[in-house]
Amino acid sequence: MTKFSRFAAKASCTLIAACAATSVMAADIFVVGGKPDDPFWSRVKKGAEDAGIVAEAQGGSVTWLGPQNYDNLGPDAAELIRQAIDQGADAIVGPDWVPEAMDPAFEAVVAAGIPLVIYNAGGLEAADKLGALNYVGAVDYKSGYAGGEYLGNAGHKNGACVNTLPGAANIEAFCNGFNDGIAAAGGTGSVLQLPATAYGDSTAVAQAVRAHLLQNPEIDAMFAIGGGDTSATISGIQQSGKAGKVHVCGMNFNETVLANIQQGNQACAVDQQGYQQGFFAVSILNNYVNYGVTIPTREILTGPGIVDASNVDLVIEGVKAGAR
């Protein structure tokens, strides 16, 4: 009997000592996410683990499962989901990065009667399709759109989205949103698509950006899908001799990104608040498994928000306080 099924048993118990033994339950929650050394995913992981403090106090646990790399993202993530089922998860959190590869595994979660929350990628559409309780995260398309609109409204007319994870649905949505956002502001957008092995390889990204800008001198704006790629994109712009002429916005932020915004080397960062994604997703499932508590709002948005020169100092103070 799973711990969630014991919730139903608990509801019918009479107030006797035997029933009291089942009144304290513990949720063993498995969270599928990115590499734990990925700067963005390390914040998501911290959020999940901080929420796990409550689960652990109740006798439960939070287990993080992440791939070794992103070379075979969809199949590898699907295997992690199946591992969580096999290891007796009472609840599972996961991003729907590559639906064609991952959805059968998520369907197996629901078929096994294991509560599921989709987070970070896939949106409410994926949660509805898969039978998940909630979606927690930003809407990827809207995040990209916010970056494109920002750069377009600043007067940039030709933008390129640097995609280092081709085939990942959330990254494709970032780029599609970026292209539509800059188009809505009167510009045009395109995609610089690199192999997945380039993700996190700052040299490879910088060299590709440099070459692309030299071949396409009309580009005056770029959008990157993560903090590391954003810094590498700035490096590529500098190597092409176009510093100050090609402006950059990117997903997420780290200390380097915030410093670049302060120094005027980066126009903006789109914040999807990864800590909140991990924290809320685990909290929702822990309360559901233990007490049957549900959240009426099924799409819990953590972004997008723009970090730029107007608010970067405040964001930095939030980072120092451990809140960002």
Side-chain angles (χ1 to χ4, degrees), residues 11 29 68 168 192 271 290:
I29 302 169
Q68 295 299 310
L192 168 56
D271 185 13
N290 283 339

Side-chain angles (χ1 to χ4, degrees), residues 41-60:
W41 283 102
S42 67
R43 289 196 292 275
V44 180
K45 184 172 182 285
K46 177 170 172 51
E49 291 174 343
D50 282 358
I53 293 171
V54 174
E56 290 166 5
Q58 297 168 339

Side-chain angles (χ1 to χ4, degrees), residues 150 258 261-262 266-269 305-313 315:
Y150 183 95
L258 295 176
I261 293 173
Q262 271 191 318
Q266 180 174 335
C268 74
I306 294 291
V307 180
D308 64 6
S310 70
N311 63 354
V312 66
D313 292 337
V315 173

Side-chain angles (χ1 to χ4, degrees), residues 207-297:
Q207 289 177 346
V209 168
R210 174 185 179 277
H212 193 67
L213 291 177
L214 293 176
Q215 294 167 6
N216 299 275
E218 70 280 6
I219 291 175
D220 61 4
M222 302 197 85
F223 185 80
I225 65 170
D229 279 1
T230 303
S231 297
T233 297
I234 292 171
S235 178
I237 291 169
Q238 292 169 342
Q239 291 174 31
S240 72
K242 298 198 172 185
K245 298 178 182 177
V246 178
H247 289 217
V248 178
C249 192
M251 286 301 306
N252 311 321
F253 62 79
N254 52 32
E255 290 182 0
T256 300
V257 166
L258 295 176
N260 279 330
I261 293 173
Q262 271 191 318
Q263 296 162 10
N265 296 323
Q266 180 174 335
C268 74
V270 180
D271 185 13
Q272 56 178 319
Q273 299 188 120
Y275 178 94
Q276 299 279 55
Q277 293 179 17
F279 187 91
F280 287 145
V282 168
S283 297
I284 288 167
L285 285 173
N286 188 59
N287 287 334
Y288 182 70
V289 171
N290 283 339
Y291 311 118
V293 173
T294 59
I295 304 297
T297 302

Side-chain angles (χ1 to χ4, degrees), residues 13-20:
C13 283
T14 57
L15 296 177
I16 58 177
C19 182

Side-chain angles (χ1 to χ4, degrees), residues 20-224:
T22 68
S23 66
V24 177
M25 288 175 278
D28 295 323
I29 302 169
F30 282 68
V31 183
V32 176
K35 297 194 303 175
D37 62 348
D38 180 316
F40 171 75
W41 283 102
S42 67
R43 289 196 292 275
V44 180
K45 184 172 182 285
K46 177 170 172 51
E49 291 174 343
D50 282 358
I53 293 171
V54 174
E56 290 166 5
Q58 297 168 339
S61 64
V62 170
T63 301
W64 183 272
L65 298 176
Q68 295 299 310
N69 55 57
Y70 298 130
D71 297 350
N72 197 34
L73 185 60
D76 286 352
E79 178 57 29
L80 294 175
I81 297 165
R82 293 189 176 94
Q83 285 181 26
I85 298 173
D86 294 342
Q87 292 178 35
D90 295 312
I92 294 175
V93 179
D96 199 17
W97 285 320
V98 187
E100 59 270 23
M102 298 174 66
D103 282 2
F106 281 130
E107 289 163 1
V109 172
V110 176
I114 300 171
L116 171 69
V117 164
I118 299 296
Y119 80 147
N120 179 257
L124 186 59
E125 180 180 356
D128 285 342
K129 178 178 66 174
L130 296 167
L133 293 175
N134 294 80
Y135 172 73
V136 179
V139 176
D140 303 317
Y141 174 85
K142 291 181 179 179
S143 294
Y145 190 99
E149 183 179 47
Y150 183 95
L151 290 170
N153 286 339
H156 304 289
K157 299 300 182 184
N158 196 306
C161 178
V162 183
N163 184 347
T164 54
L165 286 173
N170 59 323
I171 306 304
E172 301 288 346
F174 286 152
C175 287
N176 289 338
F178 171 78
N179 289 344
D180 289 349
I182 197 169
T188 59
S190 60
V191 178
L192 168 56
Q193 187 158 294
L194 305 180
T197 52
Y199 182 81
D201 185 337
S202 58
T203 299
V205 174
Q207 289 177 346
V209 168
R210 174 185 179 277
H212 193 67
L213 291 177
L214 293 176
Q215 294 167 6
N216 299 275
E218 70 280 6
I219 291 175
D220 61 4
M222 302 197 85
F223 185 80

